Amino acid sequence: MDAARRVVLLECGLGVLWLGYGFGTTGFAGLRSGWWLAVPAAAGTVALMYAEEHRVADWDPYYRGGLAIALVVGFTVAVGVVGALTALSVVDAIAVAMTGIGAGLLPYRVVYGVVRPVPESRLDAGERAV
């Protein structure tokens, strides 16, 4: 199996997993009440994947690692704030956000993997990225 096909299968599988987690945890009622978390999570996922795969900012690995750490910390703080200020529980906020991430990942990988080829920069990352 070539690298492009592995990327598509792996990331589509992750998208389905995250969507399943969100639906399984909160159901449609929870997603309706937290849609405003899922939409920015989906848009942010698409924006970050596009920026990384198309090398919008050609950063070295240390800057990319720092950005990843900052995003994880920011996500954690945002979920804590949402849990404190709204009626959503922390588990529901995480599930809705993960559903948004899956909802952004699947269409992006269909566009750049099925309709158009996977960007070469994604494939050049080697086995560690797949």
Side-chain angles (χ1 to χ4, degrees), residues 12 19 32 34 41 43 73 81 89 102 104 112 114:
C12 284
L19 283 171
R32 273 195 308 270
V73 169
V81 168
S89 70
Y112 288 104
V114 176

Side-chain angles (χ1 to χ4, degrees), residues 39-77:
V39 171
T45 299
V46 170
L48 286 172
M49 288 189 69
Y50 183 87
E52 173 63 24
E53 289 188 354
H54 292 86
R55 301 287 190 235
V56 172
D58 197 20
W59 293 346
D60 67 2
Y62 293 112
Y63 286 120
R64 282 196 301 252
L67 178 63
I69 291 169
L71 288 173
V72 168
V73 169
F75 179 77
T76 304
V77 169

Side-chain angles (χ1 to χ4, degrees), residues 26-45:
T26 64
F28 285 110
L31 292 175
R32 273 195 308 270
S33 66
W35 66 268
W36 49 273
L37 283 173
V39 171
T45 299

Side-chain angles (χ1 to χ4, degrees), residues 88-117:
L88 287 175
S89 70
V90 174
V91 172
D92 287 342
I94 290 171
V96 169
M98 294 300 283
T99 302
I101 291 170
L105 177 64
L106 278 174
Y108 178 84
R109 192 45 67 204
V110 167
V111 171
Y112 288 104
V114 176
V115 177
R116 300 185 65 174

